[in-house]
Amino acid sequence: MDLKTRIKSLIVEELRLEDLRPEEIPDDIPLFGDGLGLDSLDAVELVVLVQKHFGVKIKDMDEGRLAFQSINALEAFISERLKE
Amino acid sequence: MKTDCPKRAAAWIKPWTSQSIGSKFQHRIFYALIRMGGIRLAYPLLYPVVFYYMACRPSVRERTRHYLSRRFIRKNALQRFADSCRISVALGKVLIDRASVGICGPDAIVLAFPDKARLFSLLAEERGVILMNAHVGGWQVILPGLGQLRRPVNMLLERHVRDVDLHYFEHGRLPMPFRTIDPRGFLGGTLEMMEALNRGEIVCVMGDRVFGSDKNVLGVDFLGQRAFFPFSAFKIASTSGAPVVVFFSHKAGPTRYVIEIPEVIRVPGGLGRSPEAFYPYVRRFVMALEAYTRMHPYQFFNFYDMWS
């Protein structure tokens, strides 16, 4: 399973997004607001999810803003941190 | 449920904002009196000012009725008027005390905090602490007391750009004693709150106010009718493991305030996305708030309509 698919599966599973399958999440839609429809409290879960499953810490709001734009952005953020 | 806030009045009550009722000039008169003679000179002016607003500005008076009409069953219009005056005078005194702390220094008031050791032991757990306050007692007067906790304090604070009311540290041109988190910021400030808790810091939130467009609210019975309370802080507590410390204060004398911790709420992890999962924890906060209104009925200053 590639990283993007894993991220999507974890989002659906851990955020309990009922009626949505991982493959239905486009790579480039915004995760919050009108895109995937996540809200500020889901962001809290997302921070924990990224740390728990990938060992990557989202240290501050600036990193969160960068990482949480879309699946593409989150994948790029995690890949970069894993390389470090 | 029948309340004594008539429908025709409700129609012209303006939506709540944090903006002060008085003008900058009116505030300055009070500040000048405090400089000249402390609260003893400023308090007496409060009574005619409150009487003017209560008698001549019904829209202002009606704002006090959201709470008072549910707290007291009054058939007599004069009693209702007296209640509105009494609670407005109490709020005015708190605002004068706050200004007095800024102008005359922290010694202008005496803070008693019998539960301080309990809070220190919670901070020693190093998971951070969510201090859940409400618009009661001297919620702004006690801010200098937070310095005693010797931990950085982060405060979720939404401020109106046209607000002329000053915090105590602005009077004394002192450095801001806490870091503010704007709930209108990115993702409602939730990431900043998590970040602060992960560092073992204190995050202060108001448990009785829904900020901005926050949709994360739960209906809970408060004073006999369903009112709306935010549950975001409980979700953050669940995820971070930080305890929610209910933190109220009341004015116990002309210059004396008492800080109390009526509840420490531990929220387990893994509660998921359903708002209902947080109901028992929000309910505990609301029960503590209701108990407070029984003990200090004229020190509840949330003039926002929590019930609509």
Side-chain angles (χ1 to χ4, degrees):
Chain A
M1 192 188 289
D2 67 6
L3 186 55
K4 260 183 216 173
T5 312
R6 194 164 165 225
I7 292 169
K8 289 178 189 177
S9 301
L10 286 169
I11 287 176
V12 169
E13 194 181 312
E14 301 240 342
L15 301 186
R16 298 179 198 179
L17 302 180
E18 287 150 19
D19 306 326
L20 188 69
R21 285 180 304 184
E23 58 272 25
E24 289 170 349
I25 303 175
D27 293 347
D28 55 353
I29 63 159
L31 298 182
F32 296 92
D34 293 336
L36 193 56
L38 302 184
D39 67 12
S40 58
L41 292 185
D42 294 319
V44 173
E45 290 279 7
L46 214 44
V47 169
V48 175
L49 178 155
V50 170
Q51 191 172 349
K52 189 169 116 188
H53 293 277
F54 302 102
V56 171
K57 212 168 179 177
I58 294 172
K59 290 186 208 122
D60 55 38
M61 203 177 60
D62 291 334
E63 285 194 351
R65 201 188 294 269
L66 184 78
F68 292 161
Q69 285 173 22
S70 62
I71 295 290
N72 279 338
L74 188 54
E75 188 231 8
F77 179 83
I78 294 171
S79 304
E80 203 175 299
R81 292 296 181 281
L82 288 177
K83 274 182 210 161
E84 288 169 8
Chain B
M1 177 180 278
K2 190 173 182 290
T3 70
D4 64 352
C5 181
K7 275 184 184 168
R8 60 186 164 77
W12 38 258
I13 297 170
K14 287 181 187 169
W16 183 90
T17 79
S18 67
Q19 195 180 344
S20 309
I21 293 167
S23 67
K24 201 178 241 181
F25 174 69
Q26 288 166 327
H27 281 81
R28 279 182 179 164
I29 294 172
F30 278 100
Y31 301 155
L33 289 173
I34 294 167
R35 280 194 186 89
M36 285 189 287
I39 60 168
R40 282 191 199 125
L41 216 53
Y43 276 4
L45 178 62
L46 197 56
Y47 293 90
V49 168
V50 165
F51 185 81
Y52 162 76
Y53 276 104
M54 292 299 108
C56 306
R57 301 272 293 272
S59 64
V60 175
R61 188 177 69 239
E62 285 304 328
R63 286 184 204 175
T64 66
R65 302 304 311 162
H66 300 305
Y67 160 70
L68 287 172
S69 64
R70 289 162 176 99
R71 176 62 184 81
F72 298 106
I73 298 160
R74 305 280 200 211
K75 288 182 180 161
N76 184 317
L78 199 61
Q79 276 184 323
R80 292 199 295 270
F81 182 78
D83 283 342
S84 293
C85 289
R86 194 168 166 187
I87 204 165
S88 301
V89 165
L91 174 63
K93 285 184 177 175
V94 168
L95 297 178
I96 287 173
D97 292 346
R98 183 183 71 172
S100 167
V101 169
I103 293 166
C104 309
D107 294 339
I109 59 152
V110 177
L111 279 182
F113 190 7
D115 286 338
K116 201 192 317 186
R118 194 174 173 201
L119 186 51
F120 274 124
S121 72
L122 291 166
L123 281 166
E125 291 177 14
E126 297 299 339
R127 294 171 159 214
V129 159
I130 298 175
L131 281 187
M132 187 167 280
N133 206 332
H135 294 80
V136 297
W139 83 102
Q140 297 182 7
V141 181
I142 61 168
L143 294 182
L146 296 179
Q148 296 174 19
L149 302 176
R150 299 192 291 274
R151 279 293 167 106
V153 176
N154 303 266
M155 192 159 295
L156 198 67
L157 188 69
E158 186 178 328
R159 207 158 179 205
H160 198 285
V161 283
R162 285 162 60 200
D163 206 342
V164 295
D165 205 7
L166 298 178
H167 281 282
Y168 83 90
F169 51 86
E170 292 168 317
H171 285 285
R173 297 205 169 89
L174 301 168
M176 193 185 272
F178 48 79
R179 187 172 152 259
T180 57
I181 297 176
D182 190 342
R184 292 165 297 191
F186 180 61
L187 296 175
T190 49
L191 294 187
E192 285 173 278
M193 289 163 74
M194 281 290 285
E195 203 184 317
L197 292 170
N198 287 337
R199 291 193 300 260
E201 296 178 3
I202 296 165
V203 172
C204 287
V205 298
M206 300 304 270
D208 63 339
R209 171 70 48 80
V210 180
F211 283 113
S213 58
D214 193 352
K215 293 173 198 140
N216 297 307
V217 294
L218 275 168
V220 180
D221 272 2
F222 177 53
L223 299 171
Q225 206 175 344
R226 197 172 70 145
F228 293 92
F229 292 86
F231 68 87
S232 304
F234 293 94
K235 170 78 178 180
I236 290 169
S238 165
T239 310
S240 66
V244 177
V245 177
V246 180
F247 187 80
F248 295 155
S249 65
H250 67 273
K251 188 172 165 76
T255 59
R256 187 167 182 270
Y257 284 84
V258 178
I259 302 171
E260 303 147 291
I261 297 180
E263 269 276 16
V264 174
I265 305 170
R266 304 267 185 183
V267 189
L271 291 182
R273 299 183 94 225
S274 161
E276 286 70 33
F278 297 93
Y279 179 87
Y281 311 100
V282 179
R283 174 81 184 130
R284 279 173 65 185
F285 168 77
V286 176
M287 283 168 74
L289 190 60
E290 196 164 303
Y292 180 96
T293 65
R294 280 196 294 273
M295 285 185 285
H296 312 289
Y298 294 100
Q299 294 198 43
F300 181 87
F301 304 126
N302 191 346
F303 296 148
Y304 155 86
D305 186 3
M306 307 158 75
W307 292 269
S308 73

